[in-house]
Amino acid sequence: LASFHFVSSHESLVTYIMKTLPQNKFYTLDTSSPIWDRIFTVAPLIVIGTKEGSAYNLAPKHMATPIGFDNYFGFVCTPKHATYQNIKDTQEFTVSFPLPDQVVLAALSATPRSDDTLGSKPIIKALPSLKATRVDALFLEASYLFFECKLFKIIDGFNENSIITGKIMAAHVDKNYMKTFEKDEQQQLKENPLLAYISNGRFAKITKTYNFPFPKNFKT
């Protein structure tokens, strides 16, 4: 059943129609345990680079996002992972956005260590990589966008997880992915697709996009 709520203002009378979720269409998930394995969500897939002792480490992440509209970037990690401890020690990290045709390389960077000793995972030495210019860490070479970040803040306390945020000190982008007024965005993305991670365990190549229907005079 729909209910009505009236809000008056100096300009107009606005009517809100509030409906309840139809139980024959939606299922209410049990939030006493994590819900993410039971639903599909879309996220970027990135690879975080860190310095580990005298060696280097690369690790894929998908819970990642710009932090606001300035040059800050963050991702979810756990203190149990070397990535977290490396960043805490060195106060810096890199971010690589892999090309969709190179998703296997991003996946290989998740290969677990064969033992508990410090140093790079053996697979890291086999992956094509690039050295960052402002921080002491590696990029995954088969990528279209690279960030070099200084640690800004680590926010602990999301049960066993944390949010690691960094200030972007340098950014590098493949010229084919650079937004310019001379290029049609749809054609540009068709020729140079983006990689999306479909949680949990799938990925997609984005080649077809649409203009978002922003309201008139809308500003981000």
Side-chain angles (χ1 to χ4, degrees), residues 24-97:
N24 63 338
K25 183 178 180 181
F26 294 95
Y27 179 79
T28 299
L29 297 172
D30 179 6
T31 57
S32 64
S33 60
I35 64 174
W36 305 112
D37 285 343
R38 306 193 67 187
I39 55 178
F40 296 111
T41 56
V42 180
L45 180 66
I46 61 168
V47 175
I48 299 295
T50 55
K51 183 71 179 293
E52 186 165 339
S54 60
Y56 296 99
N57 188 36
L58 292 169
K61 306 289 181 183
H62 75 274
M63 293 183 176
T65 181
I67 305 297
F69 291 96
D70 290 305
N71 293 333
Y72 294 91
F73 191 84
F75 64 96
V76 174
C77 195
T78 170
K80 296 178 181 179
H81 289 174
T83 298
Y84 177 104
Q85 299 300 332
N86 295 343
I87 293 173
K88 192 173 182 179
D89 289 342
T90 65
Q91 304 284 296
E92 60 187 21
F93 60 93
T94 65
V95 184
S96 303
F97 287 73

Side-chain angles (χ1 to χ4, degrees), residues 122-190:
I123 191 65
I124 300 300
K125 297 178 181 179
L127 293 175
S129 61
L130 300 170
K131 187 71 170 60
T133 62
R134 296 280 297 274
V135 304
D136 191 7
L138 299 179
F139 293 123
L140 183 68
E141 183 177 1
S143 304
Y144 68 91
L145 180 62
F146 308 96
F147 296 153
E148 303 185 42
C149 300
K150 291 290 185 181
L151 176 63
F152 178 71
K153 186 181 296 185
I154 296 178
I155 307 171
D156 295 315
F158 300 94
N159 286 348
E160 66 175 16
N161 294 298
S162 304
I163 297 176
I164 298 177
T165 64
K167 184 170 185 180
I168 300 172
M169 308 305 295
H172 319 277
V173 62
D174 185 310
K175 292 179 179 179
N176 291 323
Y177 285 84
M178 184 75 177
K179 293 179 69 173
T180 64
F181 292 111
E182 295 80 14
K183 295 181 180 179
D184 176 75
E185 291 183 356
Q186 168 54 41
Q187 185 62 31
Q188 188 176 7
L189 288 171
K190 182 178 180 180

